Every structure is written in C-alpha cells, then in structure tokens.
Amino acid sequence: MISKILVPSDGSKSAQRAAGYAVDLAKQLKASIIALSVIDMRSLIAQTVSASETARHTVEPIEDYLREAAEGYAGEIKKLCDKSGVASKISIKMGHPVEEIVKEAKRSKANLIVMGSHGRSALSATVLGSVSYGVIHNDTSIPILIVRG
C-alpha cells in the first residue's frame, strides 16, 4: 500500500507537472507527500570560479539564494497539498540530486517516488546526467513513477 510519496522538484515545468500527478494520487490513496528539493552546489561553483579562488563571503550569498529557491520549489508542492487536503512535509537537502533523492526515499520510508523528466533519450540522459535517469538506474527497491514534461 502506498502511504508516503516522495516528490523531488527542481522547479521545472516537468517537476511541477509530476507534483500535480503526485498530489492527485496521494489524495485518492489518502497518502502523504514529502516535497524534496536538492541544492547541488557543485555545478554552480565549478562553472563560475575554481574552488581555491572562491572567497567564503562569495559562497554564502549563493548558498542563501539556492536555499531560498529550493524552499520555493518545495513550497509550491506544499501549497498544492494544502489546497487538496493532502498531508505533506518539506525536505531540503544539499548534495548530488540522484544520491539525495534515493537517500531521502529510504530515510523517510517512501513507498513511491514521483518525478518529472524532460523526455531525453537514454544516450543524451547518460551524457547530460539526467536526474530521473540516475534515480531509475540506482539500486533501489522503491517504485518510481516518471511523468514526462
């Protein structure tokens, strides 16, 4: 039986669409939602300045901005849940998105992961590092529902 649904979000249209599916499903099943947003600092820092040249006072405002964005993405899912009468909680993590999604699913004992996908081919997903592709191919026993954007 599905009682907890993990819904990771990066704020994209496909993630928002997946959140809508998850909330509707949770309402029908009387399940709760865990809205997850993962802050991935590696890609931002690596594309801007080398870590050795980054001053601490530069990194802190970036972290604050990313945390606010992550809280906003998860907050949108919470609003959907509140509007539909679905119990929910927010989880904000920092790390590699694939790893953090799988860890949170196990930690929270989620019965299902519902996430969006941009619909890339398997080859481009591998090359470009699709998060949904990574979660699907991770060694997890939790069912995953992918909603195409």
Side-chain angles (χ1 to χ4, degrees):
M1 180 169 173
I2 296 173
S3 61
K4 286 186 188 175
I5 302 172
L6 177 66
V7 185
S9 180
D10 60 0
S12 66
K13 288 190 188 265
S14 61
Q16 292 170 350
R17 187 171 175 180
Y21 273 81
V23 172
D24 287 345
L25 182 62
K27 186 174 183 175
Q28 292 174 28
L29 299 173
K30 296 180 178 30
S32 64
I33 296 270
I34 302 153
L36 172 66
S37 191
V38 180
I39 302 166
D40 188 0
M41 290 283 292
R42 297 171 312 146
S43 58
L44 181 69
I45 302 271
Q47 292 175 9
T48 55
V49 208
S50 70
S52 62
E53 296 175 16
T54 305
R56 182 72 184 154
H57 66 277
T58 304
V59 175
E60 287 173 359
I62 294 169
E63 284 181 21
D64 293 344
Y65 170 77
L66 292 175
R67 178 162 294 282
E68 285 177 29
E71 288 170 353
Y73 303 149
E76 288 300 315
I77 298 170
K78 180 132 179 68
K79 284 179 192 173
L80 276 174
C81 290
D82 292 346
K83 191 175 178 181
S84 297
V86 173
S88 64
K89 75 172 200 165
I90 291 176
S91 179
I92 308 294
K93 302 294 181 187
M94 187 175 289
H96 184 266
V98 171
E99 293 171 7
E100 293 302 322
I101 291 167
V102 172
K103 278 186 204 173
E104 181 62 23
K106 289 177 182 175
R107 188 192 68 72
S108 63
K109 297 184 175 133
N111 309 107
L112 177 67
I113 301 171
V114 177
M115 58 191 303
S117 174
H118 299 290
R120 297 185 184 126
S121 68
L123 178 60
S124 67
T126 303
V127 173
L128 298 173
S130 167
V131 174
S132 57
Y133 185 84
V135 172
I136 289 169
H137 290 88
N138 196 297
D139 187 24
T140 182
S141 60
I142 301 166
I144 303 163
L145 172 62
I146 301 295
V147 179
R148 301 245 338 222

